[in-house]
Amino acid sequence: MKLPRIPAAVVFDMDGLLFETEALWQEALLSAAVEGGHEIPDEVFNKSIGVRRSQCRGLFLSHFGEDFLFDDFHANWVRHFWLIAENKLTLKPGAPELLEILDQFRLPRAIATSSSRTTVERHLTSHSLMDRFDQIICHGD
C-alpha cells in the first residue's frame, strides 16, 4: 500500500493493536469464572470483550445480581491474565515490521491507551520495545 504522503508521526493504541491481548483476557475471564464457580453465558462473555472494568461491572451485576462480588471476581480475572500473559503475550502480526519501517523513515511514534502505565511498561519491556516509542500516554496520565 502506498500512502499519498509520509505521516508526520504515528500514534498506536496498545491492546489488540500492538499486542494480541483480547484472546488472553477472554481466557483469563473463563479461568476466573471456573475458579469462582460461575458460568458465563456467551452473551455476557461477548459483551465483556474489549470493555473497561467500569462497564464490565454493570454487565456482570446485571447478569449475576447486585450481590455479585465483582471487585473480587475482577481481581481474579486480572491475576489470571498476568499468569497467562507471562507465557502467551505476543505482538500482533506485522507490528515488528511496521516499527522497522517507522525506524527507517525516522518517524516519531507514541502510544495512547486506556491501559495503565504499569501494564504498558510490562508489555513493552517483555518484548524489548520500551525504547521504540517517543511518548506513552496511559490511563490516568
Side-chain angles (χ1 to χ4, degrees):
M1 176 172 114
K2 185 172 172 134
L3 298 175
R5 65 184 181 285
I6 295 176
V10 177
V11 179
F12 290 89
D13 184 20
M14 193 182 73
D15 290 314
L17 181 71
L18 282 176
F19 291 97
E20 194 71 71
T21 55
E22 289 303 325
L24 303 184
W25 279 111
Q26 292 169 17
E27 185 179 340
L29 168 61
L30 295 176
S31 295
V34 168
E35 182 180 278
H38 306 292
E39 189 169 321
I40 309 289
D42 289 344
E43 180 181 333
V44 173
F45 179 80
N46 291 337
K47 287 182 180 177
S48 70
I49 296 170
V51 176
R52 301 264 332 137
R53 176 183 176 187
S54 58
Q55 295 168 302
C56 278
R57 174 187 298 281
L59 175 66
F60 281 76
L61 292 178
S62 173
H63 176 73
F64 289 111
E66 294 296 319
D67 293 337
F68 182 70
L69 301 174
F70 178 77
D71 291 332
D72 293 344
F73 179 80
H74 190 267
N76 285 331
W77 186 359
V78 171
R79 180 176 55 78
H80 280 281
F81 172 81
W82 287 113
L83 290 171
I84 294 164
E86 187 96 13
N87 297 309
K88 290 186 177 180
L89 182 66
T90 59
L91 287 167
K92 293 286 270 191
E97 295 83 0
L98 180 54
L99 291 172
E100 287 298 323
I101 291 168
L102 297 177
D103 287 345
Q104 290 172 13
F105 286 101
R106 295 188 177 144
L107 286 174
R109 79 284 319 243
I111 292 176
T113 180
S114 61
S115 295
S116 70
R117 181 157 300 276
T118 301
T119 296
V120 173
E121 289 177 357
R122 197 167 175 179
H123 285 0
L124 293 176
T125 299
S126 72
H127 286 82
S128 302
L129 295 175
M130 277 299 293
D131 63 340
R132 302 290 297 271
F133 294 90
D134 302 293
Q135 293 293 322
I136 299 171
I137 301 152
C138 305
H139 178 74
D141 287 351

